Amino acid sequence: MPTGTCRSGRPRGGVWPYDHTFRRDVLDAEVAGYAHRACLQISIRPFQPLYNDDRLLLRKPALTIPPRKLQDVIAWVRLVIWENLDCELRNPHVNVASNLSCLLAALIQPFTKGPGPCAYMVDHDADRIVFRQGPKPWPDPIPIPDELVSFPGANTPCQRKGKGRTV
């Protein structure tokens, strides 16, 4: 029998500068056929390699380009755990992007495969989620969470291009 208690809300020792766990009722009017009580954990941090001497492999080795270390990679990591409290189904996933603004625009939870209803976090400081047809990135800029504003490169706007659009 589902308890309705978030399992995701365990403290993780301050490793993730942005680390929010909250409950949200998903209404049938928002996502037809998918109404449920949800617990969400959303955590964001700059990328860090497991070991400082990890090597980043290049596709074509070149004599003029020395091997690069993973510690030289600039990226952001987002962990999302969407937990349906009615059936205790947990759906975790991780996104990685070189630009924080582009990462924030990505959906946090699809409800079908392919085009269909998706959840987007449009205000991280207020834990505000909006539902719309996806899976394309959110079209408007999303404010950088307060916990991440002071990190280098956090305020770089998303310049993603492709498939006929610029975000």
Side-chain angles (χ1 to χ4, degrees):
M1 181 90 186
T3 62
T5 304
C6 293
R7 289 187 287 165
S8 303
R10 298 185 186 113
R12 283 163 293 286
V15 180
W16 299 83
Y18 178 88
D19 190 13
H20 287 210
T21 300
F22 59 97
R23 289 185 58 169
R24 170 74 153 79
D25 289 336
V26 179
L27 306 176
D28 199 55
E30 295 172 311
V31 186
Y34 294 95
H36 64 280
R37 294 172 305 139
C39 179
L40 287 81
Q41 173 192 329
I42 300 177
S43 303
I44 303 170
R45 66 179 280 175
F47 170 78
Q48 291 179 308
L50 183 59
Y51 305 107
N52 283 337
D53 62 349
D54 278 347
R55 297 282 179 185
L56 176 65
L57 300 176
L58 300 174
R59 286 185 147 201
K60 293 182 180 177
L63 297 175
T64 58
I65 303 173
R68 292 179 40 197
K69 292 185 176 183
L70 276 176
Q71 67 187 15
D72 299 328
V73 173
I74 298 170
W76 293 88
V77 179
R78 179 178 70 181
L79 166 67
V80 176
I81 300 174
W82 187 288
E83 183 176 357
N84 181 327
L85 297 175
D86 295 339
C87 66
E88 294 189 347
L89 177 67
R90 298 179 85 199
N91 186 5
H93 71 272
V94 173
N95 303 107
V96 178
S98 59
N99 181 290
L100 180 58
S101 295
C102 293
L103 180 67
L104 297 178
L107 63 91
I108 59 170
Q109 180 66 33
F111 292 96
T112 61
K113 292 185 182 205
C118 295
Y120 294 84
M121 189 82 159
V122 296
D123 187 340
H124 288 75
D125 295 323
D127 296 333
R128 184 169 168 245
I129 294 174
V130 173
F131 298 89
R132 75 173 188 127
Q133 295 298 308
K136 291 185 178 181
W138 189 256
D140 302 318
I142 295 176
I144 304 298
D146 290 342
E147 295 92 334
L148 303 176
V149 169
S150 64
F151 283 85
N155 290 310
T156 305
C158 187
Q159 298 294 323
R160 226 174 74 245
K161 295 181 182 178
K163 297 186 180 180
R165 65 187 286 258
T166 301
V167 177

